[in-house]
Amino acid sequence: MATSFDIIEDRALMKIDDYKLTKLFQQSPEGFRKWCDGFLINAIPNFFKCRQSLDFDTENREFNSDLTEVEISILADFWVIEWFKKELQDSTKINVLLQTSGSFKTHAAAPNLNAKSNYIDGLREKVYQKITQYVLQHIDDIPI
């Protein structure tokens, strides 16, 4: 049985709160799904150690494989990272605009941006730790 994109995206959306996504869903559920699918498709190559095929069907919005709970969790984590990278890049654009105004705003924005960048690095590290545990659980299945 195939794994639906919705399963992974629902898991990821439980970890974030974004008023823009809520507004998009209210305006256009189809547009919301396409936007979320974009984050998932961008996240897939990050899980290069997946034991199963991550081939997918965009028309049916599902993976060809029946993914395990751990695989779903890892993809959801990578979805969050992709979403957060987008948010961070938007913040960077805003930060450039702030630099032309008062120095107080510039100095206040810089630590905020740095904290967000550190947060995403920590998130990425946790996901790679999860992947290491996932691979180690199946180490006996690796051909010698």
Side-chain angles (χ1 to χ4, degrees), residues 11-18 21 79-80 83-84:
R11 197 77 60 88
L13 288 165
M14 290 189 323
K15 299 177 183 191
I16 65 169
D17 187 19
D18 184 352
L21 285 176
W79 187 101
V80 170
W83 169 82
F84 206 94

Side-chain angles (χ1 to χ4, degrees), residues 34-118:
K34 284 182 181 181
W35 187 255
C36 289
D37 290 356
F39 289 122
L40 181 56
I41 291 167
N42 284 340
I44 292 168
N46 295 314
F47 191 12
F48 56 89
K49 294 279 189 182
C50 189
R51 297 179 66 238
Q52 297 194 66
S53 168
L54 292 177
D55 291 338
F56 56 90
D57 177 356
T58 52
E59 203 169 302
N60 292 319
R61 300 182 62 250
E62 63 185 15
F63 288 90
N64 298 336
S65 302
D66 184 18
L67 302 177
T68 66
E69 287 298 316
V70 173
E71 292 162 344
I72 290 168
S73 176
I74 290 169
L75 283 171
D77 289 341
F78 278 126
W79 187 101
V80 170
I81 289 170
E82 290 300 315
W83 169 82
F84 206 94
K85 281 180 6 186
K86 171 84 170 110
E87 292 296 304
L88 187 62
Q89 289 165 348
D90 286 349
S91 297
T92 304
K93 292 175 192 171
I94 292 169
N95 191 33
V96 170
L97 295 174
L98 291 174
Q99 289 179 355
T100 61
S101 61
S103 64
F104 173 75
K105 290 182 181 177
T106 303
H107 294 300
N112 185 18
L113 188 59
N114 190 35
K116 288 177 180 178
S117 185
N118 288 339

